[in-house]
Amino acid sequence: MATSFSNFTRMKAHSVILFDGVCNLCNTVVQVVIKRDRKNIFRFAPLQSEQANQLLNGNLKPTMNSFILLDDNVLYTKSTAALRVCRRLGGLWRLMYGFIIVPKAVRDAVYDWIAANRYRWFGRKTECMVSTPDLRSKFIH
């Protein structure tokens, strides 16, 4: 899903990833992106947070199965969001963007299957992760 997103203008200098803050898989993905984000492109907020709610401003009612990217005033979800993040990381990660040629319905079906099983496979936390002081600037407060 790509939707124009006017409430995002205050974060225009950075792309924002909204993720399930209690999902171990999602938290691992965030850590991987932070480690490989050499250009300091991305900022993060858990979907459960007030910050995510304010950014979305009623434009989308996400489920906790959502992975959302707000990029250049456009909102992307699920597999499209994940692939666009990979493209921005560069290096070998950029090659993952080649999967964008797979029909969205197929990509999102795989995404939905993983999302539906992620707690069982990877577990979950009882509360959203807390950023360390050195990573605090990467998270929207």
Side-chain angles (χ1 to χ4, degrees):
M1 172 182 194
T3 305
S4 179
F5 194 74
S6 60
N7 196 39
F8 181 53
T9 54
R10 69 184 180 96
M11 289 299 300
K12 190 151 173 99
H14 299 283
S15 297
V16 178
I17 295 173
L18 303 177
F19 65 100
D20 179 355
V22 299
C23 168
N24 286 339
L25 174 61
C26 303
N27 281 286
T28 299
V29 168
V30 166
Q31 294 300 320
V32 167
V33 172
I34 288 171
K35 184 176 180 180
R36 286 160 179 81
D37 182 17
R38 290 180 174 80
K39 295 181 181 177
N40 198 29
I41 296 168
F42 297 105
R43 295 295 177 264
F44 306 88
L47 284 164
Q48 296 89 338
S49 70
E50 181 58 32
Q51 292 82 3
N53 189 43
Q54 288 174 0
L55 281 172
L56 293 173
N57 195 29
N59 289 308
L60 176 70
K61 294 291 184 195
T63 66
M64 289 308 117
N65 288 345
S66 297
F67 180 82
I68 299 171
L69 173 66
L70 305 172
D71 187 25
D72 197 22
N73 227 21
V74 179
L75 182 143
Y76 302 94
T77 61
K78 297 186 178 188
S79 66
T80 303
L83 291 173
R84 289 182 70 86
V85 167
C86 288
R87 182 176 73 173
R88 301 284 298 276
L89 292 178
L92 293 176
W93 289 96
R94 180 175 284 227
L95 296 176
M96 295 291 291
Y97 190 71
F99 285 105
I100 202 76
I101 66 170
V102 175
K104 183 172 174 32
V106 174
R107 286 187 282 118
D108 281 350
V110 172
Y111 176 96
D112 289 338
W113 177 69
I114 293 169
N117 291 289
R118 71 191 189 285
Y119 291 150
R120 185 165 28 112
W121 295 341
F122 302 99
R124 67 185 292 172
K125 300 175 183 310
T126 56
E127 54 188 50
C128 292
M129 80 179 213
V130 177
S131 61
T132 60
D134 57 323
L135 295 180
R136 190 145 301 156
S137 66
K138 295 277 192 180
F139 289 81
I140 300 170
H141 300 285

